[in-house]
Amino acid sequence: MYTLTTDEAMTALDDTAQLLTPDGHRISDPRLDPWVEDLDAPALRALYRDMAIVRRMDAEGVALQRQGHVGLWAPAQGQEAVQVGTARACRTDDFLFPSYREVGVTIVRGGAPADLVLAWRGEMHSTYDPYALNLASPQIIIGAQTLHAVGYAMGVQRDGGDQVAVAYFGDGATSQGDVNEAMVFASSFGAPVVFVCSNNHWAISEPVTVQSRFPIAGRAPGFGIPSMRVDGNDVVACTAAMRWALEHARSGQGPVFLEAVTYRMGPHTTSDDPTRYRGPGEVEAWRTRDPLTRLEAFLRNSGDIDDDVLAEISREADQLTAAMREAVLTAVTRPAIEVLDGVYAEPHSGIDRQRARFSAYLDAFADDGAAVTR
Amino acid sequence: MYTLTTDEAMTALDDTAQLLTPDGHRISDPRLDPWVEDLDAPALRALYRDMAIVRRMDAEGVALQRQGHVGLWAPAQGQEAVQVGTARACRTDDFLFPSYREVGVTIVRGGAPADLVLAWRGEMHSTYDPYALNLASPQIIIGAQTLHAVGYAMGVQRDGGDQVAVAYFGDGATSQGDVNEAMVFASSFGAPVVFVCSNNHWAISEPVTVQSRFPIAGRAPGFGIPSMRVDGNDVVACTAAMRWALEHARSGQGPVFLEAVTYRMGPHTTSDDPTRYRGPGEVEAWRTRDPLTRLEAFLRNSGDIDDDVLAEISREADQLTAAMREAVLTAVTRPAIEVLDGVYAEPHSGIDRQRARFSAYLDAFADDGAAVTR
Amino acid sequence: MTQLTMGKALTAGLRHAMADDDRVLVMGEDIGRLGGVFRITDGLLDEFGPKRVVDTPLAESGIVGTAVGLAMRGFRPVVEIQFDGFVYPAFDQIVCQVAKLHYRTQGRVTVPLTIRIPWAGGVGAAEHHSESPEAYFVHTAGLRVVAVSNPQDAYTVLQQAIACDDPVVFFEPKRLYHTKGEVDLDADIADAAPMGLARVVRPGTDATIVTYGAQVTTALDAAQAAEDEGISLEVIDLRSLSPVDYRTVSASVRKTGRLVVTHEAGGEAGVAAEIIASVTEQCFHYLEAAPARVTGLDIPYPPAKLEKHHIPDLDRVLDAVDRVLDRPNSLTGVEL
Amino acid sequence: MTQLTMGKALTAGLRHAMADDDRVLVMGEDIGRLGGVFRITDGLLDEFGPKRVVDTPLAESGIVGTAVGLAMRGFRPVVEIQFDGFVYPAFDQIVCQVAKLHYRTQGRVTVPLTIRIPWAGGVGAAEHHSESPEAYFVHTAGLRVVAVSNPQDAYTVLQQAIACDDPVVFFEPKRLYHTKGEVDLDADIADAAPMGLARVVRPGTDATIVTYGAQVTTALDAAQAAEDEGISLEVIDLRSLSPVDYRTVSASVRKTGRLVVTHEAGGEAGVAAEIIASVTEQCFHYLEAAPARVTGLDIPYPPAKLEKHHIPDLDRVLDAVDRVLDRPNSLTGVEL
Ligand SMILES: Cc1ncc(C[n+]2csc(CCOP(=O)(O)OP(=O)(O)O)c2C)c(N)n1
Ligand SMILES: Cc1ncc(C[n+]2csc(CCOP(=O)(O)OP(=O)(O)O)c2C)c(N)n1
Ligand SMILES: [Mg+2]
Ligand SMILES: [Mg+2]
């Protein structure tokens, strides 16, 4: 055949991979089951714990913003399963490239409580050492990190390594040239990269239909990249899908694309007012598909979780959120002159000159707390 | 199904639409035949005439470059069928957005001989009035024009018009962010635009496989745009495919993507040396699929063309190439001060100041042919 | 006269332009139902409908590139770039297409496109949300660049930009969005000062401060403070950064003999360098001291908690005034 | 010493850097089998193989963005942008990522990336093939910007740029690719002048001409011509545009008291404006006349047949020299 309509290309894509139903029933899937065979009760509890902690710390971030301790927060509520499931599926030496909303990914990679808040507070642009967590700084420019991930993966190929690079981004990002170029490069070089698109149905106020009138997972195969649509609120399915994707990339078969279908329960950021563009009905409908309650229901059914365990997780979450709050409240802003630090890695006469002048200026004020002549 | 591999998305795309075989036999195709029912002998002869003239003028362009009359030429040899077939299928009020290689499109749209050469000669960046030919100036920035075409088509929608915008570009261009964003916008707004990708197998020295390891026509459906792979050396198939595409877009069904599979017989430009990156075998193989010889063979078989007609076309081509040469040889470079013309549409104090100074400078030299003081 | 915030004045200007000319349309990310993240397009979707108030896919090159196509079809698109730091993906379309199309076609194709950019810092924002990219556009021939500093100009100049047949990059200082001022909503833009002209916002005799955008407020504060010390500063709001109204600027410097230029963008090859190079040429024999720049540091925009060291404040402006007046200042004795 | 064209010197520099450090790789459009449209990477594919000489898809943002990722993995990518006018699609990656990553991460991530750009006009090329975008990058903190003017610098400075842990935008004047000069292929880059330093290429006493790239040749020709009239011009090749070596430049201006800056890019908010603003500040009391700019016009790059009016030639430079020497010149009596 020499024509291809969207129907022909996408009729195959009429479903979403799922292993846990919204009410917590495990359904079997011959393709995905093998990838999560080892997920026994402790492992599932661990995933639940991760998600619960992400939810609490995320809520604390919102609270800290409302109380004026951080300038902004981009809530992840509702997206815990895709963030935790995919990040936990990675090896620690895989390198992950998150956007600004991947608080769950940061936590899973070992980010400290302070790492979650000091950037939003405006103390520094980013906190942790990317090489310590194998996690790039959160990216604000929509889509830019997808190319970095592909480049990193090309580096892995050149080193003969078996790490995988993972690019996280949203549904809105799929419209950016960079994300499409990333798919072109990844496909052309067969780079070991997994694209994880968290389709949370909204790019600020724009519904995903403005970016794409068809399932986003249908985009990648045209670039020569196999893709999967997965229930992004099902942490078991996300784990399975990501393990499949990682193995595909790790074994030299090239890039993979995952569309995780999820929902942003909160505002875009704490500055946003979602009541201007979406009704409560939609949000309520998604509440029934909550990633935490479904795993909790499953674990309660199987008797693998109980109130004691939940209380224990809650205590742990208390400690972590307290540490996060503490980090914000004790944050010390760096001295003025350090604003000039880190622009260049090597000596630079322009920075030297600015430093001399700015020091002189600061000194002039230090003397009498006011301008020299007044 | 929730996964989509490239195989699943593209198995359908295993063929190329064709109506004239390389040796000139008309094959029937129930989907395409209706679109070219009206192509009787005179119409086919006209297409042949167009292609022959394009080939001759293109060859003259190369010759003019070799003789130093123009600085550069981007030969279209081998691509006459896609250019003539698709452009002839358009209405005169459709608006076409070409790249630098669409000499055939320019001729079909009524470009004068001078329009083909004065820009390459460096007399002006572009010659004809885009609104006179409904043809944008040739675009050099790879892919940029695809967005202009989509925007134009969005304008048509707003005007309630039934024109179609057509974007021409190459296989290499499909890697550019702009071309992918153009597909996103076209799909999102259902804009009446036809994307015509002339896959001539090379982007300068890079084979199409560097840009895409799969048929380019497979890219568009993922964006929600139906596409067709057509033999770009078969002017009848190109006409049929384009008429189908135009009708689709014109009737409000949204954008269409055509991949015309063709071959660049010459160098990328007259500055290029293709022997560095491709063997003569490949070029020779494509010579057997020449767009002109196959239509000539068909018309000779049916007795609809003979040496007299060919001689007549040849005379016409002689006149046109002579006019083109004449345009170059009689070109008068604009006076120096006009270098400042047309930067802004409205009065601009910066330009005024530059004009005053540059005039003074020119005057100073005009007096004695040298700088004021020497 | 009506009291309006700059934000509301911009909305009023847009509404007026759209009502006047049905070829005007606005497009960008989140400008429809949401009214834009700064609510500048608030209400326009309801009033003018989705054909003229276009929520676009999330792609700045796509937004500007399709706006070029719309302009070629005879529309006058007004594009909103969500934040200053997100204009760069559209840079190629702006520099190679928007700026060059008219020249490329010997004037046959006009691009009456307005690119609105919420602009600059001082609002405690995250990375990429406080950029001052104006010099890139000033350096690009074929564009006009304006920056507004008060609600009345916001209202008037926006309409002038939209009415202009050339592409205009229109900078809106974020930190003034909520600042109120008198706006004459009935004024005809034809009666207003043409878009390319600067304005002396405070006359003075001892030194000239040239600035634009939110720094106009800082400069006026500095002039007020200086007055208490008996120093008379003339403050000029450039309004247009390309072209610069050198007639007004140089007339002032010929009078005062001393010049300070201040802006929030970094200094290296910035707008202040341009002003100083041009004024030095035009007024060399009138200059009593070296003109001084008071600009942002030449660093990537810093984290919010440090931005106050980056944005020139009243003290830094006054320190530079001292410098051009040959009074003791922080650089006294420092090798320059 | 070997006689080499600048093109061949660049190839030798690349080969040397790749042989020295196996983390260096080159990437771009057509740089493999073809050796690049200017043949600067000629032979490297055969010598170093496709893992280190990477023909990329046709997408500049993709090239620079993946190079950033490679740098994060510990490589030192050398990117070729095919022509100056094609760098703009990569502008976002350059300004928001390449320039900012080190600052964003408090120095934890370095981006030792070299972006080579065949640069500027005078070669009779088509639109977009003769651009001078250097000011955009000079205005961008976090980048270093260099421009070479002769084969020896091409060889040495390219290696220094690759060895530098900061990102460097490296400009190669197209019209000098075929110009020959002596190159010491055995010289160690550690012994050469550091990358940030300017060089006095011709000493003189009456006025200073500051320039870079292909205009160095024009300036030297002008100095030669002026000598016949008894005027002694000092010519400085900046070599580094960011940072600028103001020590060398200002020392010269303090000596001569007169300054001409010439470059091919438009003047508005360009590099010459920067130099003049800084030098005026640093040397105000030494200046005997207003420094003069001799730059390209502030227009989109013109068609090839008109480019000679755009690129400052010897006569325009000498006219400006007359101006700073207060001799009769074309602008005598013209309102500036
Ligand atoms: C290049 C660029 N343009 C615009 C923005 C402003 N912006 C920030 S988030 C956002 C929406 C992103 O939507 P999506 O990709 O779906 O991610 P989500 O926020 O839903 O996680 C926009 C438009 C930006 N950060 N970068
Ligand atoms: C943005 C940009 N990058 C690079 C170039 C240089 N360039 C000119 S033509 C070309 C190859 C284009 O290949 P393709 O799209 O297949 O078109 P073809 O030349 O084969 O018709 C390249 C890389 C350019 N003109 N614009
Ligand atoms: Mg989203
Ligand atoms: Mg091609």
Side-chain angles (χ1 to χ4, degrees):
Chain A
M1 211 155 65
Y2 49 73
T3 53
L4 205 55
T5 66
T6 293
D7 281 357
E8 285 148 3
M10 294 207 184
T11 36
L13 209 63
D14 54 3
D15 202 1
T16 303
Q18 196 181 62
L19 292 175
L20 269 190
T21 63
D23 53 2
H25 289 299
R26 177 72 162 81
I27 45 182
S28 90
D29 181 302
R31 275 194 59 191
L32 292 181
D33 286 341
W35 293 103
V36 284
E37 257 174 8
D38 62 321
L39 283 197
D40 53 12
L44 289 171
R45 269 201 306 273
L47 288 173
Y48 182 84
R49 175 247 169 224
D50 286 346
M51 292 197 295
I53 286 186
V54 171
R55 178 155 300 178
R56 273 286 284 283
M57 294 182 84
D58 182 63
E60 184 73 0
V62 173
L64 288 168
Q65 193 281 334
R66 299 290 179 228
Q67 294 155 16
H69 298 304
V70 299
L72 192 75
W73 189 266
Q77 199 196 331
Q79 304 180 215
E80 294 88 352
V82 47
Q83 296 188 6
V84 167
T86 57
R88 277 284 174 227
C90 294
R91 282 194 342 212
T92 55
D93 64 341
D94 291 333
F95 208 104
L96 281 53
F97 294 79
S99 86
Y100 46 85
R101 202 184 295 287
E102 266 76 41
V103 48
V105 174
T106 310
I107 293 173
V108 167
R109 296 303 279 185
D115 291 334
L116 300 178
V117 281
L118 294 184
W120 287 129
R121 190 177 154 84
E123 297 293 351
M124 38 193 101
H125 286 316
S126 73
T127 49
Y128 54 86
D129 179 351
Y131 298 111
L133 307 187
N134 285 328
L135 179 69
S137 309
Q139 180 59 250
I140 288 177
I141 300 295
I142 300 295
Q145 75 279 17
T146 58
L147 285 168
H148 307 165
V150 174
Y152 190 94
M154 290 165 65
V156 170
Q157 291 180 301
R158 278 155 184 75
D159 286 339
D162 68 348
Q163 298 86 359
V164 175
V166 180
Y168 286 93
F169 53 99
D171 46 302
T174 60
S175 294
Q176 280 287 4
D178 272 9
V179 175
N180 292 279
E181 294 186 9
M183 290 198 270
V184 170
F185 277 66
S187 176
S188 187
F189 296 112
V193 59
V194 177
F195 296 100
V196 179
C197 176
S198 295
N199 173 4
N200 63 7
H201 284 80
W202 292 93
I204 309 185
S205 73
E206 299 192 0
V208 59
T209 47
V210 171
Q211 322 292 339
S212 183
R213 291 158 60 228
F214 297 89
I216 287 172
R219 189 80 62 84
F223 290 87
I225 302 177
S227 79
M228 188 186 289
R229 213 164 190 239
V230 60
D231 182 338
N233 287 12
D234 172 353
V235 71
V236 184
C238 286
T239 303
M242 190 66 178
R243 286 175 170 184
W244 164 75
L246 287 164
E247 174 56 23
H248 188 280
R250 205 183 304 288
S251 60
Q253 296 173 76
V256 184
F257 190 101
L258 293 187
E259 177 195 356
V261 181
T262 180
Y263 193 78
R264 193 193 77 209
M265 298 299 293
H268 169 69
T269 66
T270 46
S271 299
D272 183 36
D273 173 9
T275 64
R276 291 182 73 103
Y277 54 82
R278 69 184 187 188
E282 182 180 314
V283 182
E284 287 318 309
W286 275 93
R287 208 175 291 288
T288 64
R289 287 175 250 178
D290 188 278
L292 273 79
T293 50
R294 78 168 79 174
L295 183 54
E296 184 186 336
F298 174 76
L299 288 170
R300 280 201 192 267
N301 283 347
S302 60
D304 290 319
I305 210 165
D306 58 20
D307 290 349
D308 287 350
V309 175
L310 292 178
E312 171 62 31
I313 291 172
S314 198
R315 268 190 301 278
E316 200 190 346
D318 283 346
Q319 282 165 13
L320 286 164
T321 52
M324 193 165 129
R325 177 169 288 269
E326 175 77 5
V328 152
L329 296 181
T330 60
V332 179
T333 299
R334 288 175 289 162
I337 192 72
E338 289 189 16
V339 75
L340 288 162
D341 286 0
V343 182
Y344 296 94
E346 301 201 8
H348 186 281
S349 63
I351 286 289
D352 293 346
R353 199 153 46 105
Q354 291 190 78
R355 196 179 298 280
R357 288 173 163 233
F358 192 39
S359 298
Y361 177 78
L362 292 170
D363 289 349
F365 276 73
D367 292 346
D368 59 3
V372 194
T373 57
R374 56 192 63 88
Chain B
M1 212 157 57
Y2 50 74
T3 54
L4 207 56
T5 65
T6 294
D7 281 359
E8 284 148 4
M10 294 208 186
T11 38
L13 208 63
D14 55 2
D15 202 2
T16 302
Q18 196 181 64
L19 292 174
L20 268 190
T21 63
D23 54 2
H25 290 298
R26 178 72 163 79
I27 46 182
S28 91
D29 180 302
R31 277 196 56 192
L32 292 182
D33 285 343
W35 293 103
V36 285
E37 257 174 4
D38 63 322
L39 283 197
D40 55 10
L44 289 170
R45 266 200 309 271
L47 288 173
Y48 182 84
R49 174 248 169 223
D50 286 345
M51 294 198 292
I53 283 182
V54 170
R55 178 155 299 178
R56 271 287 283 285
M57 293 181 86
D58 182 62
E60 184 73 358
V62 174
L64 288 168
Q65 193 282 334
R66 299 293 179 224
Q67 293 156 15
H69 298 304
V70 299
L72 193 74
W73 188 265
Q77 198 197 330
Q79 304 180 214
E80 294 87 353
V82 47
Q83 297 188 5
V84 166
T86 57
R88 276 283 174 230
C90 295
R91 282 196 339 214
T92 53
D93 63 343
D94 292 333
F95 206 103
L96 281 53
F97 293 78
S99 86
Y100 45 85
R101 201 184 297 288
E102 265 76 42
V103 48
V105 174
T106 310
I107 292 173
V108 166
R109 295 304 279 186
D115 292 332
L116 300 179
V117 282
L118 295 185
W120 288 128
R121 191 179 154 85
E123 298 292 352
M124 39 193 100
H125 286 318
S126 72
T127 48
Y128 52 86
D129 179 350
Y131 297 111
L133 307 187
N134 285 329
L135 180 69
S137 309
Q139 180 59 251
I140 288 176
I141 300 295
I142 299 296
Q145 75 280 15
T146 58
L147 284 168
H148 307 166
V150 174
Y152 190 94
M154 289 166 65
V156 170
Q157 291 179 301
R158 278 156 183 74
D159 286 338
D162 69 347
Q163 298 86 357
V164 175
V166 181
Y168 285 93
F169 53 100
D171 47 302
T174 60
S175 293
Q176 281 286 4
D178 272 8
V179 174
N180 292 278
E181 293 186 9
M183 290 197 272
V184 170
F185 277 66
S187 176
S188 187
F189 296 111
V193 57
V194 177
F195 296 100
V196 179
C197 175
S198 295
N199 173 4
N200 63 8
H201 285 80
W202 292 93
I204 309 187
S205 74
E206 299 192 359
V208 60
T209 48
V210 171
Q211 323 291 340
S212 183
R213 290 157 61 230
F214 296 89
I216 286 172
R219 188 81 59 86
F223 290 87
I225 302 176
S227 78
M228 188 185 289
R229 210 162 193 240
V230 60
D231 183 338
N233 287 12
D234 171 352
V235 72
V236 183
C238 286
T239 303
M242 189 67 179
R243 286 175 170 184
W244 164 74
L246 288 164
E247 174 55 24
H248 188 280
R250 202 182 308 285
S251 60
Q253 297 174 75
V256 184
F257 189 101
L258 294 186
E259 178 197 357
V261 181
T262 178
Y263 194 79
R264 192 193 79 207
M265 297 300 292
H268 169 69
T269 65
T270 47
S271 297
D272 182 36
D273 172 9
T275 64
R276 292 180 72 103
Y277 54 82
R278 69 182 189 190
E282 182 181 313
V283 182
E284 285 320 309
W286 276 93
R287 206 175 296 286
T288 64
R289 289 176 250 177
D290 188 279
L292 274 79
T293 49
R294 78 168 79 174
L295 184 55
E296 183 186 335
F298 174 78
L299 288 170
R300 280 202 191 266
N301 282 345
S302 60
D304 290 318
I305 210 167
D306 59 19
D307 289 349
D308 286 352
V309 175
L310 292 179
E312 172 61 32
I313 292 172
S314 195
R315 265 192 302 278
E316 199 187 346
D318 283 346
Q319 281 165 12
L320 286 165
T321 53
M324 191 165 131
R325 177 169 288 269
E326 175 77 5
V328 153
L329 296 182
T330 60
V332 178
T333 299
R334 289 176 288 162
I337 193 71
E338 290 190 16
V339 75
L340 288 162
D341 285 0
V343 182
Y344 296 94
E346 300 200 8
H348 187 282
S349 63
I351 286 290
D352 292 346
R353 200 154 44 106
Q354 291 191 76
R355 196 180 299 278
R357 287 172 164 236
F358 192 39
S359 295
Y361 178 78
L362 292 170
D363 288 350
F365 276 73
D367 292 346
D368 59 3
V372 194
T373 57
R374 52 192 66 87
Chain C
M1 285 290 191
T2 319
Q3 274 273 337
L4 286 183
T5 62
M6 178 182 285
K8 294 270 181 248
L10 289 163
T11 309
L14 276 176
R15 179 177 294 114
H16 201 303
M18 293 184 79
D20 269 7
D21 180 352
D22 64 8
R23 304 306 279 177
V24 175
L25 51 79
V26 299
M27 54 198 290
E29 297 158 7
D30 305 295
I31 63 150
R33 193 61 59 211
L34 187 66
V37 294
F38 294 103
R39 308 291 185 266
I40 306 303
T41 54
D42 195 22
L44 299 181
L45 178 63
D46 287 340
E47 195 168 335
F48 299 104
K51 286 211 162 170
R52 296 183 63 198
V53 180
V54 188
D55 264 334
T56 63
L58 205 177
E60 288 75 12
S61 189
I63 295 169
V64 173
T66 53
V68 168
L70 280 156
M72 291 181 73
R73 177 76 190 183
F75 288 85
R76 305 184 89 83
V78 183
V79 153
E80 174 171 308
I81 298 292
Q82 195 160 79
F83 277 85
D84 33 54
F86 309 144
V87 71
Y88 308 119
F91 203 70
D92 176 60
Q93 283 286 344
I94 295 174
V95 168
C96 294
Q97 309 300 329
V98 174
K100 291 188 165 78
L101 247 173
H102 191 260
Y103 191 73
R104 178 183 302 150
T105 60
Q106 277 93 241
R108 288 178 180 125
V109 175
T110 56
V111 186
L113 168 64
T114 303
I115 302 178
R116 293 181 38 238
I117 307 187
W119 169 57
V123 296
E127 202 189 353
H128 310 293
H129 289 72
S130 304
E131 306 264 307
S132 293
E134 65 269 22
Y136 298 128
F137 302 111
V138 171
H139 186 59
T140 306
L143 303 176
R144 293 174 189 262
V145 183
V146 298
V148 292
S149 67
N150 60 74
Q152 180 68 63
D153 276 356
Y155 178 71
T156 315
V157 181
L158 179 54
Q159 292 179 67
Q160 291 175 322
I162 296 170
C164 180
D165 277 343
D166 291 313
V168 180
V169 185
F170 186 93
F171 285 104
E172 307 171 359
K174 285 191 282 285
R175 67 180 144 117
L176 297 187
Y177 270 143
H178 299 291
T179 304
K180 285 194 170 168
E182 296 286 329
V183 181
D184 180 357
L185 292 172
D186 300 322
D188 193 323
I189 56 168
D191 301 333
M195 192 171 66
L197 293 194
R199 185 171 49 226
V200 177
V201 284
R202 180 182 168 120
T205 52
D206 295 332
T208 301
I209 307 188
V210 170
T211 189
Y212 53 91
Q215 286 297 107
V216 171
T217 307
T218 310
L220 286 171
D221 292 346
Q224 190 59 46
E227 190 181 84
D228 301 341
E229 298 180 45
I231 298 169
S232 164
L233 297 179
E234 178 145 309
V235 178
I236 295 179
D237 178 0
L238 282 181
R239 295 164 15 105
S240 172
L241 312 184
S242 181
V244 167
D245 173 8
Y246 279 116
R247 231 176 268 272
T248 299
V249 173
S250 286
S252 175
V253 176
R254 287 200 193 97
K255 180 175 71 177
T256 64
R258 306 186 191 258
L259 171 65
V260 171
V261 188
T262 179
H263 57 57
E264 194 179 316
E268 199 82 8
V271 171
E274 165 57 36
I275 306 279
I276 290 177
S278 288
V279 169
T280 300
E281 179 180 50
Q282 293 173 28
C283 311
F284 187 70
H285 295 293
Y286 297 85
L287 282 176
E288 317 244 16
R293 277 183 277 188
V294 192
T295 69
L297 300 167
D298 287 300
I299 59 174
Y301 200 87
K305 290 281 179 193
L306 300 179
E307 71 180 336
K308 63 173 176 286
H309 309 303
H310 179 69
I311 304 176
D313 62 5
L314 179 142
D315 286 329
R316 271 169 67 197
V317 171
L318 288 176
D319 187 45
V321 167
D322 286 340
R323 193 147 23 109
V324 300
L325 288 170
D326 296 315
R327 289 155 49 111
N329 64 83
S330 74
L331 294 185
T332 306
V334 175
E335 199 206 334
L336 293 177
Chain D
M1 287 290 193
T2 321
Q3 275 273 338
L4 287 183
T5 61
M6 176 181 287
K8 293 270 180 249
L10 289 163
T11 309
L14 276 177
R15 181 178 292 115
H16 201 301
M18 294 184 79
D20 269 7
D21 181 350
D22 64 9
R23 305 306 279 178
V24 175
L25 50 78
V26 300
M27 52 197 293
E29 298 157 7
D30 305 295
I31 63 151
R33 195 61 57 212
L34 187 64
V37 294
F38 294 104
R39 306 292 185 269
I40 306 303
T41 54
D42 195 23
L44 299 181
L45 177 63
D46 287 340
E47 197 167 335
F48 299 104
K51 286 210 162 172
R52 296 183 63 199
V53 180
V54 188
D55 265 334
T56 64
L58 205 176
E60 288 76 12
S61 189
I63 295 169
V64 173
T66 53
V68 168
L70 280 156
M72 290 182 74
R73 175 78 190 180
F75 288 85
R76 305 185 88 85
V78 183
V79 152
E80 174 172 309
I81 299 292
Q82 194 159 81
F83 277 85
D84 34 54
F86 309 145
V87 72
Y88 308 119
F91 202 69
D92 175 59
Q93 284 285 344
I94 296 174
V95 167
C96 294
Q97 309 300 329
V98 174
K100 292 189 165 77
L101 246 174
H102 192 260
Y103 191 73
R104 177 183 304 152
T105 60
Q106 278 93 241
R108 288 180 180 123
V109 175
T110 56
V111 186
L113 169 64
T114 303
I115 302 178
R116 293 181 38 239
I117 307 186
W119 169 56
V123 295
E127 200 189 356
H128 310 290
H129 289 71
S130 304
E131 306 264 305
S132 292
E134 64 270 22
Y136 298 127
F137 302 110
V138 170
H139 186 61
T140 306
L143 304 176
R144 293 174 189 262
V145 184
V146 298
V148 292
S149 68
N150 59 74
Q152 179 68 60
D153 276 356
Y155 178 71
T156 315
V157 182
L158 179 54
Q159 291 179 69
Q160 291 175 323
I162 295 170
C164 180
D165 276 344
D166 292 312
V168 181
V169 185
F170 186 94
F171 285 103
E172 306 170 359
K174 285 191 283 283
R175 68 182 141 115
L176 297 188
Y177 271 143
H178 299 292
T179 304
K180 282 195 173 168
E182 295 286 328
V183 180
D184 179 357
L185 292 173
D186 300 320
D188 192 324
I189 56 167
D191 302 332
M195 193 171 67
L197 295 192
R199 186 172 48 228
V200 177
V201 285
R202 182 185 167 120
T205 52
D206 295 331
T208 302
I209 307 188
V210 170
T211 189
Y212 53 89
Q215 287 296 105
V216 172
T217 307
T218 310
L220 287 171
D221 291 347
Q224 190 60 46
E227 190 181 84
D228 300 342
E229 297 180 45
I231 299 169
S232 165
L233 297 179
E234 179 145 308
V235 177
I236 295 179
D237 177 0
L238 283 180
R239 300 165 77 249
S240 172
L241 311 183
S242 179
V244 168
D245 173 7
Y246 279 115
R247 232 177 268 274
T248 300
V249 172
S250 286
S252 174
V253 176
R254 288 201 191 96
K255 181 175 72 178
T256 63
R258 309 188 187 255
L259 171 65
V260 171
V261 188
T262 178
H263 57 57
E264 193 178 317
E268 199 82 7
V271 171
E274 164 58 34
I275 306 278
I276 289 176
S278 289
V279 169
T280 300
E281 179 179 50
Q282 295 173 29
C283 310
F284 187 68
H285 295 292
Y286 298 84
L287 282 177
E288 317 243 17
R293 276 183 278 187
V294 192
T295 69
L297 300 166
D298 287 301
I299 57 174
Y301 200 89
K305 290 282 180 195
L306 300 178
E307 71 179 336
K308 63 173 176 286
H309 309 303
H310 179 68
I311 305 174
D313 61 6
L314 179 142
D315 285 327
R316 270 171 63 198
V317 172
L318 288 176
D319 187 45
V321 167
D322 287 339
R323 193 144 26 107
V324 300
L325 287 170
D326 297 315
R327 289 155 50 112
N329 63 82
S330 73
L331 294 185
T332 306
V334 175
E335 199 205 336
L336 292 177

